[in-house]
Amino acid sequence: EQNQTIVGASKENGDEGKIFVFRRNADFSLNQIQEIASPESLGRMSFGSSMAVRDSVLVVGAPDTDNFRGKAYLFNREADGNYSNTPFQTLEDPFAQDNDTFGSDIALTDDYLAISSLQKGFGSGKVALFAKDMVSGNWNHHLSLWSDENGSVEQFGYSLDMSSQYLLVGSPREDEIGNPLKSGMAYL
């Protein structure tokens, strides 16, 4: 929403994390209108490390959850303008392993949701793409993407951006074969 600012505080509450929702006033001042705590008490979760908003859906990443496998929580905005305190769906990478950090970054459109696992494969990274089921409104795993290099510490998925037709994936530590400078790449 144009009049809202959402701030993640992933280290709040003993690293479980929280998010804070602010409403922007006509004079550009902010008033806090909501605080959403992590929906699960699993110790270190880093809930709020990444977020994306589209229309009435808020997606919040918690990459340190469950031995750093990670999760993403989806919340609906209700009629009063606040988000529900309980997620309507929780997403996990269907191929998750410990230390993948699913939920490191998030990009969202009306029909697709991209969520990165930055540490997948010792830092090479991966992006899971979810498609929205237009009947149920739930998000289902559609496919997974890796860099074409698939080497270690590339951090494929470090940053994500998406339009209705394109997904842009940042990989800041990727290098071309034989170039040890790790100058980075962006994939479209």
Side-chain angles (χ1 to χ4, degrees), residues 89-111:
Q89 189 173 1
T90 301
L91 297 176
E92 299 179 50
D93 182 342
F95 309 105
Q97 297 176 353
D98 289 353
N99 300 310
D100 281 355
T101 63
F102 176 79
S104 294
D105 199 23
I106 300 170
L108 176 64
T109 67
D110 291 335
D111 301 322

Side-chain angles (χ1 to χ4, degrees), residues 13 15 20 29 35 42 46 55 81 99 106 122 181:
N13 198 27
D15 289 341
F20 299 92
S29 63
E35 177 180 313
L42 301 174
S46 296
D55 297 326
N99 300 310
I106 300 170
F122 302 102
L181 297 178

Side-chain angles (χ1 to χ4, degrees), residues 9-185:
S10 62
K11 300 301 179 193
E12 284 284 317
N13 198 27
D15 289 341
E16 275 190 7
K18 291 182 182 180
I19 61 170
F20 299 92
V21 182
F22 297 87
R23 178 155 292 128
R24 203 167 326 133
N25 302 313
D27 66 356
F28 298 105
S29 63
L30 297 173
N31 290 337
Q32 182 180 331
I33 59 170
Q34 189 174 9
E35 177 180 313
I36 301 175
S38 171
E40 300 179 272
S41 291
L42 301 174
R44 181 177 176 169
M45 296 176 62
S46 296
F47 176 81
S49 289
S50 59
M51 296 172 290
V53 178
R54 181 73 175 203
D55 297 326
S56 64
V57 176
L58 166 65
V59 184
V60 181
D64 294 352
T65 302
D66 193 21
N67 291 322
F68 299 90
R69 287 176 180 246
K71 292 184 181 183
Y73 300 91
L74 287 77
F75 298 87
N76 272 324
R77 185 177 313 136
E78 299 174 340
D80 64 2
N82 288 333
Y83 293 94
S84 62
N85 285 315
T86 304
F88 73 87
Q89 189 173 1
T90 301
L91 297 176
E92 299 179 50
D93 182 342
F95 309 105
Q97 297 176 353
D98 289 353
N99 300 310
D100 281 355
T101 63
F102 176 79
S104 294
D105 199 23
I106 300 170
L108 176 64
T109 67
D110 291 335
D111 301 322
Y112 292 98
L113 169 60
I115 305 175
S116 66
S117 298
L118 192 56
Q119 296 301 321
K120 180 72 175 177
F122 302 102
S124 59
K126 178 180 105 173
V127 175
L129 191 64
F130 294 82
K132 184 176 184 179
D133 182 309
M134 294 305 165
V135 176
S136 70
N138 285 331
W139 297 83
N140 301 308
H141 185 262
H142 180 63
L143 58 91
S144 295
L145 304 166
W146 292 267
S147 91
D148 61 349
E149 301 289 325
N150 204 18
S152 64
V153 299
E154 293 171 354
Q155 297 182 329
F156 181 81
Y158 181 86
S159 55
L160 302 172
D161 200 3
M162 191 165 37
S163 71
S164 61
Q165 296 180 347
Y166 298 102
L167 171 63
L168 182 63
V169 180
S171 185
R173 295 192 44 95
E174 181 145 354
D175 57 13
E176 293 187 37
I177 296 173
N179 179 356
L181 297 178
K182 307 238 182 270
S183 56
M185 289 187 158

